[in-house]
Amino acid sequence: MNAQLPCKVIYDTDPGIDDAMALYFALAHPAIDVVGITTTFGNVTVEQAAVNALYLTAIAGRSVPVTRGVATPWCKPPEAPPAHIHGADGLGNLPHRAATSNQLDPRSSAQFIVDAARAQPGEITLVAVGPLGNLSLALKLEPRLPDLLREVIIMGGTISEPGNVSPLAEANIWNDPHAADLVFTAGWKLTMVGLDVTHRVVLPVSLFKKIADRHQHVATDTLHHAVGFYANHYGGVHPHVAEIHGCFGHDVLAFIYLVNPELFTLERGRVRVATDGLAQGQTMMRRKGVADYPQAGWGDDKPLTQVCMQVQAEACKSVLETALMGSWLSF
Ligand code: BDR
Ligand code: CA
């Protein structure tokens, strides 16, 4: 990564507590230039996701275009958002919100992605950390999108690690498996940052307290509050996470991969998604070098995905801390 030229990123997100953490990491990191935030349903409704993206950027003193995207999965029926994980408001049930005035960009998320990619071919990286409906819709609007984007990094899926919404499925993929399969077979430079690595990085709430104490700012106070709520959920499910009163970093790992890919071990393979049945949302990989299978759908015509399989967890924590402890909040 060239420190002189920050990487232009469209952040596709369903904020969401780890989404908020990832957003603030991206805004804080000097090598990342967030040129747009495209929201989707997922952790909250898409309306709330857009409100949260506008709010998080406004209280951080930033003005980034924010769009509203898909409200439901492409094919399967919608379900209620997981308020027990992210809060009914997606940010851990904030007791109070400051008055802000940032306004929504009127375009759909998919249209925004297409417009930006056409305007700056080869320059935009898409970091997607929610269900993948906006990307799949953008692909339908502009089939050349894989050539127009620089690369796509998603937080989603899992290969060896058990799922988090079923024994096999990770939440973002499960939320819109048909969209996800389209994304995995589109042919862009694609990296999957899934539970195989995000479950290895447990972040203590004390780190976010340290960051809040350092800045004494509404943005980092908001993040500290939200992460506390998130940790209460994860602590109830995973004893080793409860032990340090922490949470998984999930979405922020996609950005850490962008700036420090050397902290991840990759495998390459053809990834497909189970769209129906008990395994719905499962991400399956035919590893590179494995001979073709007799079953259709795994042939060499399907593109390769880079899948993060191992991570240097302590180094990731340091990268996160360094960025968020820096001077990124101007007032
Ligand atoms: C993913 O699901 C969402 O709840 C999180 O924001 C993250 O993107 C983890 O499975
Ligand atoms: Ca997310």
Side-chain angles (χ1 to χ4, degrees), residues 53-204:
L54 287 168
Y55 184 68
L56 291 164
T57 47
I59 61 173
R62 304 296 182 101
S63 176
V64 179
V66 173
T67 60
R68 198 161 52 206
V70 297
T72 59
W74 181 9
C75 300
K76 72 183 213 175
E79 295 195 10
H84 61 294
I85 303 177
H86 294 270
D89 67 348
L91 296 175
N93 297 331
L94 292 175
H96 165 77
R97 288 195 183 215
T100 56
S101 56
N102 285 9
Q103 297 291 317
L104 207 57
D105 183 296
R107 285 170 286 180
S108 72
S109 292
Q111 191 63 55
F112 182 89
I113 292 167
V114 168
D115 289 351
R118 283 178 181 156
Q120 300 178 77
E123 286 192 32
I124 307 273
T125 294
L126 204 309
V127 176
V129 300
L132 294 166
N134 289 335
L135 258 71
S136 70
L137 195 53
L139 269 171
K140 289 172 215 161
L141 291 175
E142 174 50 279
R144 294 178 305 141
L145 201 57
D147 296 325
L148 296 174
L149 288 173
R150 177 170 158 171
E151 66 173 302
V152 175
I153 301 169
I154 66 162
M155 188 280 131
T158 186
I159 299 298
S160 301
E161 177 76 0
N164 59 3
V165 290
S166 82
L168 298 168
E170 181 280 328
N172 287 338
I173 306 301
W174 180 86
N175 264 323
D176 199 341
H178 296 85
D181 196 49
L182 196 66
V183 167
F184 278 111
T185 52
W188 26 38
K189 180 180 177 196
L190 178 63
T191 304
M192 171 178 140
V193 181
L195 300 181
D196 300 290
V197 290
T198 69
H199 273 182
R200 304 280 90 76
V201 183
V202 184
L203 303 169

